[in-house]
């Protein structure tokens, strides 16, 4: 069976949510856990569009909250696959908060999620290759290997000395 080659636009996903009272803390700010939940859903949809398979979350990179999101704001989560490995894909997310009455729109978060494609028995399966098309997509694609190596080191699955792409950033020959 040949696996189709895909581009980042094939997996592009936009998800919108309205921040309601049940989504907020006592300061009327969106709870971080609720946002992470929505981000996981958007990222999973994007990964599934790329893989045409069931995917499971393998990791979530550092998520920093740059801007408080308020009650009544509309959240827009944009997700797309930035690189495919053997059985996994990296998905980049950008989160925007919009206050419709004031017309303001600010970027509040960005993050990378990693998903693994699995079959009906839960065994990992190969994923389609990703071919970046734009300059930004190429940049994200090239950085994905370093991000992956950092994830593996932090997760105890790779020794720092084996992370050749990461080492190349620090040690020039």
């Amino acid at each position: 069976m040949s696996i189709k080659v895909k581009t980042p636009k094939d997996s592009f996903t936009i998800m919108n949510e309205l921040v309601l009272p049940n989504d907020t803390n006592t300061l009327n700010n969106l709870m971080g856990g609720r946002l992470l939940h929505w981000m996981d859903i958007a990222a999973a949809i994007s990964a599934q569009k790329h893989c045409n398979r069931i995917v499971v979350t393998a990791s979530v990179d550092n998520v920093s909250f740059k801007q408080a999101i308020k009650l009544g704001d509309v959240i827009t989560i944009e997700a797309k696959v930035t690189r495919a490995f053997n059985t996994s894909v990296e998905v980049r997310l950008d989160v925007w908060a919009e206050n419709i009455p004031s017309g303001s729109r600010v970027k509040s978060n960005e993050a990378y999620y990693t998903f693994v494609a699995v079959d009906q028995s839960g065994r990992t399966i190969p994923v389609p290759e990703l071919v970046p098309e734009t300059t930004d997509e190429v940049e994200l694609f090239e950085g994905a290997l370093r991000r992956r190596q950092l994830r593996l080191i932090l997760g105890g699955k790779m020794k720092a000395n084996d992370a050749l792409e990461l080492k190349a950033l620090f040690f020039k020959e």
Side-chain angles (χ1 to χ4, degrees):
M1 175 181 99
S2 75
I3 296 179
K4 183 182 171 192
V5 173
K6 295 196 174 181
T7 65
K9 72 177 176 231
D10 293 325
S11 65
F12 185 63
T13 300
I14 298 174
M15 188 170 115
N16 291 300
E17 293 287 343
L18 174 63
V19 179
L20 297 171
N22 196 45
D23 303 320
T24 64
N25 60 24
T26 54
L27 298 173
N28 283 332
N29 291 329
L30 176 64
M31 290 184 287
R34 179 77 81 220
L35 179 59
L36 291 172
H37 172 78
W38 291 339
M39 290 169 72
D40 193 38
I41 292 168
I45 291 168
S46 178
Q48 286 181 7
K49 285 169 101 174
H50 179 83
C51 299
N52 293 110
R53 292 291 191 162
I54 297 166
V55 296
V56 294
T57 309
S59 71
V60 177
D61 284 15
N62 178 32
V63 179
S64 55
F65 297 86
K66 297 176 174 78
Q67 184 79 29
I69 299 171
K70 302 303 236 174
L71 174 65
D73 284 354
V74 173
I75 303 306
T76 301
I77 303 169
E78 298 175 351
K80 70 178 172 182
V81 173
T82 55
R83 186 148 184 174
F85 296 97
N86 294 327
T87 60
S88 66
V89 293
E90 178 190 81
V91 178
R92 179 186 167 96
L93 296 112
D94 292 297
V95 180
W96 302 87
E98 183 176 3
N99 180 288
I100 291 175
S102 75
S104 68
R105 184 176 193 254
V106 295
K107 187 171 185 178
S108 67
N109 300 75
E110 57 189 45
Y112 293 93
Y113 280 51
T114 303
F115 288 85
V116 174
V118 295
D119 64 16
Q120 295 295 339
S121 303
R123 289 186 296 269
T124 60
I125 54 174
V127 301
E129 179 185 350
L130 182 92
V131 178
E133 297 180 304
T134 68
T135 305
D136 287 343
E137 290 170 356
V138 168
E139 193 175 305
L140 290 168
F141 180 89
E142 289 173 352
L145 191 53
R146 291 185 296 273
R147 289 187 296 274
R148 181 175 192 258
Q149 288 180 350
L150 184 56
R151 274 183 219 110
L152 292 171
I153 291 167
L154 293 174
K157 297 177 181 173
M158 176 184 253
K159 293 188 184 332
N161 278 340
D162 296 333
L164 302 180
E165 282 73 16
L166 271 179
K167 284 171 59 174
L169 286 176
F170 300 102
F171 306 107
K172 304 285 185 212
E173 291 188 28

